């Protein structure tokens, strides 16, 4: 690994967000070994932490990372929920706005030419998408509907040979919510994916056939 990659990983480690270090390093490692052509796409960027782990690998391979988020926070990020961070509320609107934090993180990393922000609602963007993806990282809304819509909207765009990563997969309900685990089960049960790795709540799969 060269100095630039080491610097980017140190920045990602220090960045604000919901990605434990060992899982972030696994993201970077698996993104570095992707075998299919095309760009990467992540659903759920928040303040840009996972975007730097993935963006570092994308830069090293001369690929783009599309970082998709409406930057208004998931249900679980809203006031009164477990994952709410009050300082992310924009006083002018009273709504969460992680976009300035995301933009600062990507700018400080010098990844502006590699990480392309997509600002909008995931299923709407997915419905208009046409480019085959080499890597898809799903870490958006973790409720029943958003997680399954992300699966149905984005997984068809992942190329054969491409890598699917899903975050916050908890087989034991005592450890966390079900929907990310349910979509991981859908992928495994589809017969179109091979299981590659599991680090903490991160699951890594490789597409071996079309479909989902
Ligand atoms: N990967 C991030 C954490 C993502 S948190 C990290 O490394 O820290 C989940 C994100 O998904 C939130 O920022 C939220 O705004 C976004 N999100 C939830 N539902 C969405 C939707 N329907 N469209 C776009 N983004 C969504
Ligand atoms: Mg997550």
């Amino acid at each position: 690994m060269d100095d630039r990659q080491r610097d980017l990983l140190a920045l990602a480690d220090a960045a604000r967000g919901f990605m434990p270090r060992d899982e972030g390093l696994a993201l970077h490692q698996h993104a570095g070994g992707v075998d299919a052509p095309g760009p990467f796409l992540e659903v759920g960027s928040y303040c840009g932490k996972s975007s730097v782990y993935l963006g570092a690998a994308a830069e090293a391979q001369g690929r783009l990372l599309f970082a998709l988020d409406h930057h208004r926070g998931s249900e679980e990020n809203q006031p009164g929920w477990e994952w709410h961070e009050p300082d992310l509320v924009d006083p002018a609107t009273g709504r969460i706005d992680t976009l300035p934090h995301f933009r600062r993180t990507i700018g400080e990393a010098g990844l502006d030419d590699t990480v392309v922000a997509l600002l909008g609602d995931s299923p709407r963007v997915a419905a208009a998408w046409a480019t085959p993806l080499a890597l898809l990282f799903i870490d958006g809304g973790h409720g029943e509907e958003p997680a399954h819509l992300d699966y149905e909207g984005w997984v068809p765009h992942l190329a054969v040979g491409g890598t699917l990563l899903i975050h916050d997969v908890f087989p034991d309900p005592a450890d966390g919510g079900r929907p990310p685990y349910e979509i991981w089960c859908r992928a495994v049960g589809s017969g179109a994916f091979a299981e590659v790795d599991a680090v903490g709540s991160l699951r890594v799969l490789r597409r071996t056939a079309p479909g989902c």
Side-chain angles (χ1 to χ4, degrees), residues 104-141:
R104 195 177 316 134
T105 304
I106 299 306
E108 282 171 3
L111 284 170
D112 287 305
D113 290 340
T114 295
V115 180
V116 176
L118 294 176
L119 183 67
D121 179 45
S122 173
R124 288 173 200 273
V125 181
W129 195 262
T131 304
L133 300 170
L135 175 147
L136 172 63
F137 173 50
I138 300 182
D139 193 22

Side-chain angles (χ1 to χ4, degrees), residues 40-45 50-51 54 65-69 102 136-137:
F40 297 168
L41 187 140
E42 79 170 349
V43 183
S45 304
S50 54
S51 321
L54 290 172
L65 166 66
F66 291 101
L68 168 59
D69 203 305
F102 169 85
L136 172 63
F137 173 50

Side-chain angles (χ1 to χ4, degrees), residues 35-177:
D35 210 10
F40 297 168
L41 187 140
E42 79 170 349
V43 183
S45 304
Y46 201 61
C47 299
K49 190 177 179 78
S50 54
S51 321
V52 176
Y53 285 115
L54 290 172
E59 184 191 82
Q61 298 167 68
R63 300 189 198 243
L64 290 183
L65 166 66
F66 291 101
L68 168 59
D69 203 305
H70 51 36
H71 287 284
R72 294 299 189 194
S74 303
E75 189 180 26
E76 53 273 16
N77 304 128
Q78 303 306 318
W81 290 72
E82 184 179 358
W83 302 102
H84 180 57
E85 301 192 283
D87 66 308
L88 295 177
V89 175
D90 175 355
T93 61
R95 301 178 71 190
I96 289 174
D97 186 4
T98 48
L99 182 56
H101 301 265
F102 169 85
R103 171 164 272 191
R104 195 177 316 134
T105 304
I106 299 306
E108 282 171 3
L111 284 170
D112 287 305
D113 290 340
T114 295
V115 180
V116 176
L118 294 176
L119 183 67
D121 179 45
S122 173
R124 288 173 200 273
V125 181
W129 195 262
T131 304
L133 300 170
L135 175 147
L136 172 63
F137 173 50
I138 300 182
D139 193 22
H142 290 355
E144 188 76 29
E145 187 177 83
H148 285 273
L149 287 179
D150 282 342
Y151 184 83
E152 289 156 19
W154 287 108
V155 170
H157 295 297
L158 182 66
V160 173
T163 299
L164 173 63
L165 301 123
I166 305 176
H167 198 224
D168 301 303
V169 172
F170 298 111
D172 182 347
D175 295 330

